[in-house]
Amino acid sequence: MKITILGLGYIGLPTAALIASKNIKVCGYDVNKEIVSSINKGKAHIREKNLDILLKKVVTKGYLKADTVLYESDIFLIAVPTPIKRNKEPDISFVKSAVKDICKVLKKNNTVILESTIPVGATQEIAKIISSERKDLRVPSSVGEKGDINISYCPERVLPGNILKELEMNDRVIGGINKKSTKISLAFYKSFVKGKCLETDNRTAELCKLVENSYRDANIAFANELSLISENLDIDVWNLIKLANHHPRVNILNPGPGVGGHCIAIDPWFIINSAPRQARLIKLSREINDQMPFKVVSKVKRSLKVNNLVAEDSTIACLGLSFKANIDDLRESPAVKVVNKLKSLNFKKMYLVEPNIKKLPSYLDENKFELVNFKSAVSKSNIVLLLVDHSEFRKNSLKKQEGKIIIDTRGIWASNHK
Ligand SMILES: NC(=O)c1ccc[n+]([C@@H]2O[C@H](COP(=O)([O-])OP(=O)(O)OC[C@H]3O[C@@H](n4cnc5c(N)ncnc54)[C@H](O)[C@@H]3O)[C@@H](O)[C@H]2O)c1
């Protein structure tokens, strides 16, 4: 059995390494030459717990090899990006391009599995592409059992920072385009997943993935809305939530500077796009979470004013850039949005602290920002803005620092957040 993983990023690379660790031959395919070359040296281009150790092992033993050329395989597993366009419509062009590449080497009895997050109906769209590119193969439709190949949608639901463990332990939803596709895909996942493998159809599996992240988004939006209400009513939101959560059936999440990452900030739009009239709560949640970075900037402006300060004479330390704690992923990060917006206030100096990266990405202007360590940023700044609850920041409480304005958007230090 030969497995090929298309797209060797945060999902594809750990998946490839995990499957290879079961002594199954895996070929990794990516369009990025640098990523391929780094993987073949046994070095991960992303930071993920235990990934470097596992990768080195499976590459050295010859179970995983990466390439920019796609070869024949038994199973093709697609884990390429699915961003949203400027108008918030899903962009599945990377998936379509990967499928067209697969069509060049696809054979009878092969299985194509989509793990990329996709809008409802996209698996069928992929089947149509295969059908038009490969007229020699019978492609199953949602109703037909007959088919020379198998196509399934099997979404990923891992937690960045704990991906390798969750890939193996989480339950999986497996939705084939027909029963045979589901059965074949189920057998594949059972070879490396210890969690339950739950069978369904492709459309239910597609919506299931989107619903999971929309659920998270709506719950975070509720917490964020509470933080705005509390601020308006001069009540400490962290204390409020702590007290409310003593109710046996209430479990409010923590507010923050917004929602980021490749999933929660993006996937709800796939539902909004498919059912705009029905997805009202989902859309409002997105809007509430998207406005949070602006609210943080307003809070900084208010703090300057209350303390009779002007930005041009002030230095600010912005703590954390990633979209959540203890990871290096800056995609859609609300912290990045906040620092970019603060730029226009013309601070004398803006120090950025992100312990999980070595240099600033090109979209963060090095003339405006300086990446420094926690101690240096805090000692040189009169405003400290905490944006991400990294462990390193939790360890260094600034609660009692004299003469500094501390704005803690994650509630890890201050007990009074007004
Ligand atoms: N990151 C997560 O935590 C997470 C969780 C669940 C689901 N997902 C979904 O998984 C998918 C992949 O996400 P990711 O975070 O791994 O993305 P990523 O950007 O980290 O990696 C994607 C990789 O695909 C490569 N690529 C792009 N086009 C390609 C093509 N045509 N052929 C081969 N390779 C190609 C890129 O070079 C890149 O290395 C997305 O749909 C995402 O929504 C991600």
Side-chain angles (χ1 to χ4, degrees):
M1 179 79 85
K2 194 177 155 200
I3 318 290
T4 299
I5 315 271
L6 293 93
L8 300 170
Y10 284 93
I11 294 299
L13 183 58
T15 305
L18 177 70
I19 300 173
S21 74
K22 312 285 174 197
N23 294 351
I24 299 170
K25 285 251 177 193
V26 179
C27 182
Y29 169 69
D30 202 291
V31 288
N32 184 319
K33 274 189 217 151
E34 280 98 57
I35 289 178
V36 165
S37 145
S38 160
I39 292 170
N40 284 334
K41 287 179 196 137
K43 246 199 110 23
H45 62 288
I46 49 165
R47 242 184 99 157
E48 182 56 47
K49 195 161 81 191
N50 297 331
L51 181 60
D52 259 331
I53 304 164
L54 189 68
L55 188 63
K56 187 133 212 110
K57 200 163 122 193
V58 292
V59 168
T60 312
K61 281 186 171 177
Y63 282 107
L64 174 62
K65 192 179 174 309
D67 214 312
T68 50
V69 178
L70 188 64
Y71 299 101
E72 289 184 351
S73 185
D74 297 295
I75 291 183
F76 296 95
L77 191 156
I78 302 174
V80 299
T82 44
I84 42 168
K85 299 178 194 163
R86 272 180 173 273
N87 64 2
K88 311 282 186 197
E89 276 178 18
D91 174 2
I92 61 161
S93 59
F94 297 94
V95 174
K96 287 183 175 171
S97 156
V99 168
K100 284 189 180 159
D101 285 344
I102 293 173
C103 283
K104 292 176 197 149
V105 292
L106 194 67
K107 294 189 308 326
K108 200 173 168 180
N109 294 325
N110 283 177
T111 299
V112 177
I113 298 176
L114 285 148
E115 277 207 10
S116 297
T117 305
I118 46 171
V120 174
T123 310
Q124 261 156 336
E125 226 179 292
I126 293 322
K128 275 190 203 150
I129 293 177
I130 300 176
S131 179
S132 82
E133 297 275 319
R134 291 295 303 268
K135 298 214 165 32
D136 56 318
L137 293 172
R138 283 179 307 167
V139 178
S141 74
S142 57
V143 283
E145 276 310 305
K146 286 191 189 121
D148 291 332
I149 56 159
N150 310 298
I151 307 171
S152 296
Y153 178 60
C154 308
E156 193 49 73
R157 42 165 67 142
V158 288
L159 177 76
N162 199 26
I163 293 184
L164 281 171
K165 188 160 180 219
E166 292 211 353
L167 274 177
E168 199 167 14
M169 303 313 292
N170 286 355
D171 296 344
R172 300 296 297 255
V173 173
I174 297 166
I177 205 157
N178 60 353
K179 289 206 177 95
K180 184 170 153 254
S181 298
T182 309
K183 209 173 116 241
I184 302 270
S185 307
L186 188 82
F188 165 64
Y189 280 97
K190 281 194 167 168
S191 68
F192 66 96
V193 169
K194 289 188 180 144
K196 286 186 192 129
C197 293
L198 309 158
E199 294 175 53
T200 184
D201 60 89
N202 52 303
R203 285 171 63 83
T204 309
E206 286 164 348
L207 188 57
C208 185
K209 167 69 193 169
L210 303 177
V211 161
E212 290 162 16
N213 283 338
S214 301
Y215 171 85
R216 300 275 304 152
D217 201 39
N219 279 283
I220 298 168
F222 181 72
N224 283 335
E225 188 166 280
L226 286 186
S227 77
L228 302 178
I229 293 168
S230 302
E231 195 172 340
N232 192 38
L233 299 177
D234 206 16
I235 287 170
D236 180 348
V237 69
W238 312 98
N239 191 34
L240 170 81
I241 292 175
K242 202 167 81 188
L243 293 171
N245 281 347
H246 276 272
H247 183 295
R249 285 164 297 283
V250 171
N251 187 15
I252 304 168
L253 302 180
N254 285 328
V259 170
H262 201 312
C263 295
I264 302 181
I266 305 274
D267 303 352
W269 288 110
F270 291 16
I271 300 185
I272 299 163
N273 218 271
S274 301
R277 280 159 60 98
Q278 291 78 19
R280 288 159 54 206
L281 176 67
I282 294 174
K283 183 158 188 246
L284 188 58
S285 303
R286 258 316 45 246
E287 284 164 2
I288 290 170
N289 289 334
D290 270 353
Q291 69 169 347
M292 291 312 290
F294 295 95
K295 299 285 178 192
V296 174
V297 174
S298 303
K299 203 165 185 169
V300 173
K301 282 187 193 163
R302 269 201 313 280
S303 296
L304 284 167
K305 204 171 165 193
V306 167
N307 290 282
N308 291 322
L309 293 170
V310 285
E312 286 84 351
D313 293 332
S314 307
T315 44
I316 185 166
C318 300
L319 307 184
L321 291 174
S322 59
F323 80 83
K324 67 188 279 290
N326 306 323
I327 60 163
D328 68 344
D329 194 343
L330 270 47
R331 292 177 297 178
E332 309 291 323
S333 173
V336 170
K337 287 181 188 141
V338 170
V339 299
N340 262 328
K341 286 182 206 314
L342 285 175
K343 205 166 65 173
S344 62
L345 300 190
N346 288 325
F347 276 97
K348 193 162 82 184
K349 190 80 198 175
M350 286 187 74
Y351 295 106
L352 307 187
V353 183
E354 178 42 74
N356 299 296
I357 61 170
K358 291 202 174 79
K359 72 188 269 285
L360 287 177
S362 54
Y363 53 82
L364 284 172
D365 186 354
E366 278 188 42
N367 297 320
K368 292 274 181 187
F369 306 116
E370 194 179 337
L371 184 71
V372 293
N373 67 29
F374 174 85
K375 221 171 156 184
S376 155
V378 170
S379 67
K380 289 177 187 162
S381 304
N382 54 326
I383 304 172
V384 179
L385 172 63
L386 183 120
L387 293 164
V388 185
D389 48 336
H390 287 313
S391 308
E392 182 179 335
F393 307 152
R394 279 186 185 277
K395 278 189 281 182
N396 295 294
S397 177
L398 281 196
K399 218 167 164 180
K400 290 189 190 112
Q401 282 261 347
E402 284 294 315
K404 287 194 198 293
I405 299 168
I406 297 169
I407 304 171
D408 174 1
T409 68
R410 299 296 320 193
I412 64 169
W413 294 331
S415 60
N416 190 343
H417 283 257
K418 286 169 247 163

